[in-house]
């Protein structure tokens, strides 16, 4: 027997809107009003006239067909309000009632989590045929529909009937799902259908995993979840007996210090543990990165049990736990609650309204520390230790616990580092990509605020462009009409002059042709005038900016952003697949890399990162507010790996962060790097002049001031204008000189 696949419930949203008009036209042409067939209006196929189009539904329909009832109304009453014991009127088999019931809840909950706001504009279909609008990549998304004509519907129906799993559906239609907005109305058109159906599938299966269909002695059924039995969707979402669940934001961290290169295998262990958790709680994990995940679980679930293996291996987990009934639960309740707590004295009513049956906790999970005074591990600083003599240096002893010792036994992360590069005594550049979840939430909030603020102007520009097209077409049509009328008048005069009966008959036929043509042109003109009138009404947009801003829900956008971030990382490593001097120490960990330092390879690495960032995040400004950062640490190969990692884990990162030990540390915005590359790296500015500035800066380093360098730049602004232009733009001389020295290979006083 096939499974009920919740992800298929919104497959109708992949159908182009023009197909609906084709369906209506075909019914109109075929039945001529004699057959009471319903045209397809929504995105579900409950009332679709299959037989009118020659489509046959299998006599053994897939359970997934019943997912099409998730928006159904019985006598104009939503099934949310109807006791499931009365759903037999919908012909839903009893064995699938629980599935449809849970799908309804999952769809509502995924919408509350994924849709950016709860309300939409009542009249806003101006841009409804467009694809998704990503806040970080606003280029128009075209060709989003998977089904573009009536014949394609057969493929869609076959998919509902024969699809094997939600994962298969997500993979097969990945491109279309990622280009299609979950809701085409402003301002919900910024989240993808892919994320919505993925969330619905996960939440449905979590509810199914922890719920039971109960049948009493009278044959009446109810559904039990977390010890609460209910019979309507509305009861499950609100009221005293409503079902409760929690959304949990989790940051996975570790206190370990990487003493040896082999100690970075801890990152490999973290990945293994995360995979193990995913195997057991794949649906409960809504999304994850290497060090962060978001969970949806019943209220009764013990979170510490989920992270038990992490804690056993010395990791600790920072948690924000949001508990609410299914009707209230969403991804920003923590923000609302924390804000309400701050305003408690000023606004008691707001706190009561938000906090009723809703709780938010901050928690820290870690392993129990030793209760005795004993030597602890040099690496994890937590566990009792065994004495270990270093294999290569007999005079050095290390205190390493059994867990950290077993991590070292994974071996060297890559052979070349210790066996070849180390013997060569080369400089190396370690680098790390980072995605800050808190910065991401803040950035998405600001980007959304900017979007809704600028939307009226965007609509105005769009409408004015469309009006110009209509005016041009009206002008053309009116000219056609004028010619038709002129020709008709000429024919009338001609028929009056003619005495030949056959000629008069032929002219009469031509006059009738012109009448028909005139009617067709006039109908088109009337349609254009009506479109023009309707478009002008779209120029008036009134909405509560503050309400939209305060009810923004970033979780789905986080998921979409992370998907693009992972694609960036994947493509970055594909670019360096044949490069021998750049390595990924942990094969499955795309955020960390190291290469044999040369200015040429450093330029290639930085250029690749910027190019890919521009490809995936063109509308995200690369500065200190950017959620993505790229950090590079350059040193002699003997420099301890823990110091590289310490630099990577430091807070307050910018777009690009560079440590060149022991010469400098600098932070760069994307625009700064691009300006420095244009004016210094890729220009013909005098190298000797720039090297002199670098030497002057080095000699004055103890003063911690660039004032003398600035004076030198000002004195030579006519002869060497590029450094002066950078200085005028507000870029500190130390920034552009330090970037120049590593990208051009200036010698350092180390």
């Amino acid at each position: 027997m096939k499974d009920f696949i919740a992800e298929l419930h919104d497959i109708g949203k992949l159908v182009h809107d023009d197909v609906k008009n084709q369906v209506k036209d075909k019914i109109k042409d075929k039945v001529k009003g004699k057959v009471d067939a319903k045209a397809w209006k929504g995105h579900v196929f409950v009332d679709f006239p299959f037989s009118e189009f020659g489509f046959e539904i299998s006599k053994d329909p897939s359970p997934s067909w019943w997912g099409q009832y998730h928006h159904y109304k019985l006598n104009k009453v939503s099934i949310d309000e109807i006791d499931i014991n009365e759903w037999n009127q919908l012909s839903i088999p009893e064995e699938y009632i629980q599935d449809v019931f849970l799908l309804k809840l999952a769809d509502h909950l995924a919408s509350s989590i994924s849709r950016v706001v709860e309300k939409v504009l009542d009249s806003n279909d101006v841009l409804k045929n467009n694809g998704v609008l990503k806040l970080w990549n606003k280029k128009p998304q075209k060709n989003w529909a998977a089904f573009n004509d009536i014949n394609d519907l057969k493929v869609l129906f076959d998919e509902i009937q024969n699809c094997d799993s939600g994962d298969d559906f997500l993979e097969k239609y990945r491109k279309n799902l990622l280009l299609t907005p979950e809701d085409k109305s402003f301002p919900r058109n910024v989240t993808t259908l892919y994320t919505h159906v993925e969330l619905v599938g996960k939440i449905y299966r979590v509810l199914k995993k922890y719920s039971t269909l109960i049948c009493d002695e009278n044959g009446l059924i109810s559904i039990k979840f977390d010890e609460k039995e209910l019979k309507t969707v509305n009861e499950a979402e609100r009221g005293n007996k409503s079902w409760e669940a929690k959304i949990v934001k989790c940051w996975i961290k570790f206190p370990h210090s990487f003493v040896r290169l082999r100690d970075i295998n801890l990152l490999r262990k973290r990945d293994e543990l995360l995979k193990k958790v995913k195997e057991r709680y794949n649906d409960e994990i809504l999304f994850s990165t290497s060090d962060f995940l978001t969970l949806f679980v019943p209220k009764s679930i013990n979170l510490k049990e989920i992270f038990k293996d992490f804690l056993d291996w010395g990791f600790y987990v920072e948690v924000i736990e949001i508990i609410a009934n299914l009707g209230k639960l969403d991804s920003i309740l923590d923000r609302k609650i924390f804000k309400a707590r701050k305003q408690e004295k000023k606004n008691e009513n707001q706190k009561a309204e938000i906090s009723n049956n809703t709780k938010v906790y901050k928690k820290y999970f870690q392993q129990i520390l030793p209760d005795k005074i004993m030597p602890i591990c040099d690496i994890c600083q937590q566990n009792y230790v065994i004495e270990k003599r270093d294999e290569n240096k007999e005079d050095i002893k290390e205190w390493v616990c059994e867990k950290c010792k077993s991590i070292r036994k994974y071996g060297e992360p890559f052979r070349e580092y210790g066996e070849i590069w180390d013997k060569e005594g080369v400089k190396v550049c370690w680098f790390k990509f980072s995605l800050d979840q808190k910065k991401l939430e803040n950035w998405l909030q600001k980007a959304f605020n900017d979007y809704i603020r600028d939307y009226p102007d965007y609509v105005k520009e769009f409408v004015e462009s469309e009006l110009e097209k209509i005016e041009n077409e009206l002008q053309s049509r009116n000219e056609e009409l004028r010619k038709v009328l002129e020709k008709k008048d000429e024919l009338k005069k001609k028929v009056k002059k003619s005495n030949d009966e056959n000629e008069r008959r032929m002219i009469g036929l031509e006059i009738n042709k012109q009448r028909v043509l005139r009617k067709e042109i006039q109908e088109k003109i009337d349609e254009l005038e009506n479109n023009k009138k309707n478009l002008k009404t779209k120029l008036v947009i009134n909405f509560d900016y503050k309400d939209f801003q305060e009810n923004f829900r970033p979780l789905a956008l986080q998921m979409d952003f992370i998907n693009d971030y992972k694609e960036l990382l994947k493509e970055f490593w594909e670019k360096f697949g044949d490069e021998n001097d750049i390595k990924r120490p942990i094969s499955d960990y795309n955020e960390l890399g190291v290469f044999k330092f040369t200015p040429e390879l450093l330029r290639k690495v930085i250029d690749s990162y910027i190019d890919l960032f521009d490809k995936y995040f063109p509308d995200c400004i690369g500065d200190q507010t950017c959620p993505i950062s790229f950090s590079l640490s350059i040193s002699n190969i003997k420099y301890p790996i823990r110091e590289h990692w310490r630099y990577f884990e430091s807070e307050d990162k910018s777009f690009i962060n560079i440590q060149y030990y022991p010469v400098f540390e600098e932070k760069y915005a994307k625009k700064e790097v691009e300006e420095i590359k244009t004016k210094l790296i890729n220009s013909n500015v005098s190298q000797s002049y720039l090297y002199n500035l670098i030497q002057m800066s080095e000699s004055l380093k103890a003063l911690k001031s660039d004032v003398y360098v600035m004076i030198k730049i000002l004195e030579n602004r006519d002869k060497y204008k590029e450094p002066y232009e950078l200085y005028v733009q507000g870029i500190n001389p130390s920034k552009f000189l330090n970037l120049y020295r590593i990208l051009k290979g200036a010698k350092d006083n180390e």
Side-chain angles (χ1 to χ4, degrees):
M1 178 183 279
K2 288 184 174 294
D3 291 330
F4 181 92
I5 301 172
E7 285 86 347
L8 292 171
H9 76 292
D10 272 349
I11 191 173
K13 290 182 178 180
L14 293 178
V15 179
H16 199 282
D17 291 340
D18 290 346
V19 177
K20 297 178 184 180
N21 295 326
Q22 293 175 31
V23 169
K24 293 176 185 177
D25 291 342
K26 190 162 184 177
I27 291 174
K28 180 180 178 182
D29 292 342
K30 189 169 184 178
V31 304
K32 296 181 180 179
K34 295 180 181 179
V35 177
D36 184 19
K38 295 182 180 180
W40 176 46
K41 296 179 181 179
H43 59 271
V44 292
F45 296 92
V46 176
D47 293 322
F48 189 82
F50 296 98
S51 60
E52 294 297 327
F53 294 88
F55 298 136
E56 293 185 8
I57 302 302
S58 170
K59 294 180 180 179
D60 181 24
S62 164
S64 299
W65 276 107
W66 302 111
Q68 296 297 301
Y69 279 79
H70 71 284
H71 284 311
Y72 198 74
K73 292 185 178 181
L74 185 63
N75 299 322
K76 297 183 179 181
V77 178
S78 169
I79 60 172
D80 297 6
E81 304 173 35
I82 301 173
D83 189 311
I84 53 176
N85 290 285
E86 298 176 26
W87 283 16
N88 56 359
Q89 299 177 59
L90 309 178
S91 302
I92 301 176
E94 184 173 310
E95 61 264 35
Y96 301 124
I97 284 179
Q98 181 184 6
D99 295 298
V100 178
F101 185 95
L102 299 179
L103 173 63
K104 287 284 297 183
L105 289 171
D107 188 41
H108 291 174
L109 190 52
S111 295
S112 77
I113 292 171
S114 66
R115 289 180 179 171
V116 289
V117 291
E118 200 168 317
K119 300 176 182 178
V120 295
L121 296 184
D122 294 332
S123 178
N124 182 54
D125 56 357
V126 177
L127 308 175
K128 276 197 172 181
N129 280 326
N130 286 3
V132 70
L133 188 147
K134 294 182 179 180
L135 296 177
W136 53 90
N137 188 353
K138 295 179 182 176
K139 65 182 179 183
Q141 305 291 339
K142 298 180 180 179
N143 303 319
W144 54 268
F147 311 104
N148 292 287
D149 60 49
I150 290 178
N151 292 330
D152 288 343
L153 294 180
K154 185 178 187 307
V155 179
L156 185 152
F157 299 147
D158 287 344
E159 196 66 42
I160 296 176
Q161 178 64 28
N162 300 313
C163 183
D164 291 324
S165 71
D167 287 341
D168 286 349
F169 172 67
L170 289 170
E171 181 60 32
K172 186 174 182 178
Y173 293 95
R174 178 180 176 82
K175 180 179 177 181
N176 303 100
L177 290 166
L178 288 172
L179 293 175
T180 305
E182 189 270 325
D183 187 320
K184 296 173 187 173
S185 302
F186 168 80
R188 292 177 177 172
N189 58 334
V190 296
T191 59
T192 67
L193 183 58
Y194 184 97
T195 296
H196 175 70
V197 298
E198 182 183 28
L199 281 170
V200 169
K202 283 177 172 288
I203 293 170
Y204 158 80
R205 285 186 290 275
V206 171
L207 294 174
K208 184 77 179 280
K209 180 178 178 179
Y210 296 99
S211 66
T212 309
L213 184 69
I214 304 295
C215 184
D216 67 17
E217 63 275 10
N218 298 316
L220 297 177
I221 60 173
S222 59
I223 300 174
K224 183 178 180 181
F225 176 81
D226 246 9
E227 302 305 319
K228 292 182 179 179
E229 294 182 32
L230 298 173
K231 297 178 181 179
T232 71
V233 172
N234 280 353
E235 284 181 316
E237 292 181 327
R238 58 188 65 90
N240 296 330
K241 296 181 179 180
S242 59
W243 291 351
E244 291 180 297
K246 51 192 178 187
I247 290 176
V248 191
K249 303 175 184 180
C250 313
W251 288 264
I252 301 169
K253 300 185 176 184
F254 55 83
H256 300 60
S257 175
F258 297 151
V259 178
R260 306 275 178 164
L261 181 61
R262 284 175 291 167
D263 295 332
I264 68 170
N265 286 316
L266 181 72
L267 304 175
R268 181 177 164 187
K269 171 56 71 174
R270 182 180 65 184
D271 185 59
E272 288 179 0
L273 295 174
L274 185 57
K275 286 180 180 177
K276 186 176 178 181
V277 171
K278 284 182 177 180
E279 287 175 3
R280 186 175 178 186
Y281 300 101
N282 184 56
D283 291 318
E284 287 88 340
I285 298 174
L286 300 183
F287 75 94
S288 66
T289 64
S290 60
D291 58 2
F292 177 84
L293 54 86
T294 295
L295 298 166
F296 168 74
V297 291
K299 180 183 176 182
S300 60
I301 284 292
N302 183 346
L303 295 177
K304 214 166 184 179
E305 183 61 29
I306 294 176
F307 296 109
K308 182 180 182 301
D309 289 341
F310 279 104
L311 304 182
D312 289 345
W313 280 92
F315 294 88
Y316 64 96
V317 185
E318 293 182 6
V319 163
I320 293 180
E321 184 179 25
I322 305 166
I323 303 173
N325 63 41
L326 299 190
K328 279 187 172 290
L329 190 62
D330 71 50
S331 61
I332 60 165
L333 273 178
D334 55 326
R335 202 163 65 194
K336 291 180 180 179
I337 293 293
F338 294 148
K339 182 178 178 180
R341 287 173 182 170
K342 289 180 181 179
Q343 297 178 345
E344 180 179 2
K345 293 182 180 179
K346 296 180 181 178
N347 197 341
E348 288 284 353
N349 292 332
Q350 181 182 354
K351 182 183 178 185
E353 178 185 345
I354 295 175
S355 301
N356 187 29
N357 296 323
T358 302
K359 298 178 176 65
V360 176
Y361 301 102
K362 283 186 176 181
K363 297 179 178 180
Y364 295 87
F365 299 141
Q366 64 182 38
Q367 69 175 176
I368 300 174
L369 297 177
D371 56 358
K372 300 177 183 179
I373 300 177
M374 291 181 65
I376 59 174
C377 178
D378 291 339
I379 300 171
C380 70
Q381 301 290 305
Q382 296 181 86
N383 296 323
Y384 296 128
V385 300
I386 59 172
E387 184 178 353
K388 179 181 181 295
R389 182 179 293 275
D390 186 82
E391 292 88 350
N392 300 317
K393 299 177 182 179
E394 295 296 328
D395 58 333
I396 296 177
K397 292 183 179 180
E398 291 181 292
W399 296 95
V400 182
C401 69
E402 289 293 344
K403 290 284 173 64
C404 292
K405 181 181 177 181
S406 66
I407 288 171
R408 281 188 173 179
K409 286 182 178 178
Y410 282 137
E412 295 293 340
F414 62 100
R415 182 183 55 81
E416 291 91 338
Y417 197 91
E419 295 184 11
I420 301 175
W421 294 7
D422 194 9
K423 292 178 181 178
E424 292 175 352
V426 299
K427 286 183 180 179
V428 294
C429 179
W430 286 83
F431 61 90
K432 185 177 183 296
F433 299 91
S434 299
L435 178 59
D436 188 314
Q437 296 296 330
K438 292 178 181 177
K439 271 190 179 182
L440 178 54
E441 282 194 12
N442 292 334
W443 186 90
L444 289 171
Q445 177 74 70
K446 183 181 183 303
F448 179 72
N449 293 348
D450 292 343
Y451 171 54
I452 58 176
R453 182 198 62 211
D454 297 339
Y455 186 75
D457 292 335
Y458 179 65
V459 171
K460 182 180 178 182
E461 181 182 343
F462 176 84
V463 169
E464 288 176 349
S465 173
E466 292 298 304
L467 286 173
E468 184 178 351
K469 293 177 186 176
I470 290 175
E471 289 293 352
N472 291 337
E473 190 172 354
L474 275 171
Q475 187 176 348
S476 175
R477 294 290 184 175
N478 281 317
E479 180 63 21
E480 288 179 27
L481 183 60
R482 184 187 66 78
K483 290 179 179 179
V484 168
L485 292 175
E486 284 181 355
K487 187 170 183 179
K488 183 181 173 186
D489 289 341
E490 289 175 5
L491 290 168
K492 283 183 177 180
K493 290 177 183 178
K494 190 175 180 181
V495 78
K496 286 181 180 180
K497 293 179 181 180
S498 176
N499 294 320
D500 187 318
E501 188 64 32
N502 188 50
E503 182 183 19
R504 288 169 62 88
R505 185 175 61 81
M506 295 300 293
I507 294 172
L509 291 172
E510 186 63 29
I511 289 173
N512 284 334
K513 267 188 189 179
Q514 296 304 311
R515 285 198 187 103
V516 172
L517 189 56
R518 175 194 172 185
K519 183 180 178 183
E520 289 176 353
I521 295 172
Q522 188 61 54
E523 286 177 351
K524 185 61 180 177
I525 289 173
D526 292 341
E527 181 184 344
L528 288 169
E529 289 288 357
N530 189 52
N531 290 343
K532 179 179 169 182
K533 181 180 178 181
N534 288 336
L535 271 173
K536 286 183 177 180
T537 65
K538 307 301 179 185
L539 289 171
V540 181
I541 298 178
N542 297 308
F543 60 88
D544 189 338
Y545 174 86
K546 187 177 180 181
D547 182 55
F548 277 4
Q549 178 181 330
E550 290 182 351
N551 286 287
F552 172 70
R553 301 162 180 163
L555 187 139
L557 292 180
Q558 281 179 270
M559 294 173 69
D560 289 333
F561 192 100
I562 288 168
N563 283 336
D564 283 354
Y565 172 68
K566 290 178 178 179
E567 288 297 315
L568 180 152
L569 297 178
K570 179 182 175 184
E571 193 168 338
F572 176 87
W573 286 107
E574 287 173 352
K575 280 179 176 253
F576 291 96
D578 298 327
E579 187 73 55
N580 290 325
D581 289 338
I582 183 168
K583 300 294 180 182
R584 188 168 33 179
I586 308 297
S587 60
D588 294 329
Y589 184 45
N590 286 341
E591 289 184 317
L592 184 66
V594 61
F595 60 88
K596 191 187 295 187
F597 173 73
T598 63
E600 295 76 20
L601 189 49
L602 178 60
R603 284 200 299 272
K604 186 176 179 181
V605 166
I606 291 177
D607 288 347
S608 296
Y609 166 57
I610 291 177
D611 290 345
L612 289 170
F613 186 87
D614 286 341
K615 175 181 177 179
Y616 288 99
F617 304 97
D619 294 296
C620 180
I621 297 174
D623 58 14
Q624 283 195 295
T625 67
C626 181
I628 299 173
S629 62
F630 187 50
S631 300
L632 305 103
S633 182
I634 306 165
S635 72
N636 185 282
I637 196 167
K638 300 294 186 181
Y639 190 61
I641 179 63
R642 66 172 175 269
E643 296 303 319
H644 292 294
W645 190 261
R646 175 200 58 78
Y647 179 68
F648 295 152
E649 292 296 282
S650 60
E651 296 182 355
D652 196 28
K653 297 186 184 73
S654 190
F655 178 72
I656 290 181
N657 313 273
I658 301 176
Q659 170 182 260
Y660 187 17
Y661 182 82
V663 185
F664 69 81
E665 286 187 20
E666 295 287 2
K667 298 174 183 177
Y668 297 91
K670 177 171 170 285
K671 187 176 181 181
E672 290 176 329
V673 175
E674 291 170 336
E675 287 293 322
I676 295 169
K677 283 172 57 186
T678 300
K679 289 185 166 58
L680 294 187
I681 312 301
N682 301 329
S683 70
N684 295 320
V685 65
S686 169
Q687 290 189 13
S688 61
Y689 171 64
L690 291 172
Y691 289 161
N692 287 336
L693 289 179
I694 291 171
Q695 289 173 355
M696 179 183 290
S697 178
E698 280 291 295
S699 65
L700 298 171
K701 187 181 290 187
L703 298 178
K704 297 182 179 180
S705 172
D706 285 331
V707 64
Y708 292 106
V709 179
M710 293 177 191
I711 292 172
K712 189 77 171 176
I713 291 171
L714 290 170
E715 289 175 346
N716 292 274
R717 62 183 177 274
D718 294 329
K719 187 176 182 180
Y720 305 115
K721 64 178 182 178
E722 291 88 350
Y724 173 72
E725 289 173 351
L726 291 171
Y727 171 65
V728 170
Q729 289 177 23
I731 303 177
N732 194 290
S734 67
K735 275 193 170 185
F736 59 74
L737 291 174
N738 283 330
L739 188 60
Y740 179 86
R741 80 200 300 170
I742 59 174
L743 293 181
K744 279 291 191 177
K747 291 184 179 180
D748 309 299
N749 300 320
E750 298 182 46

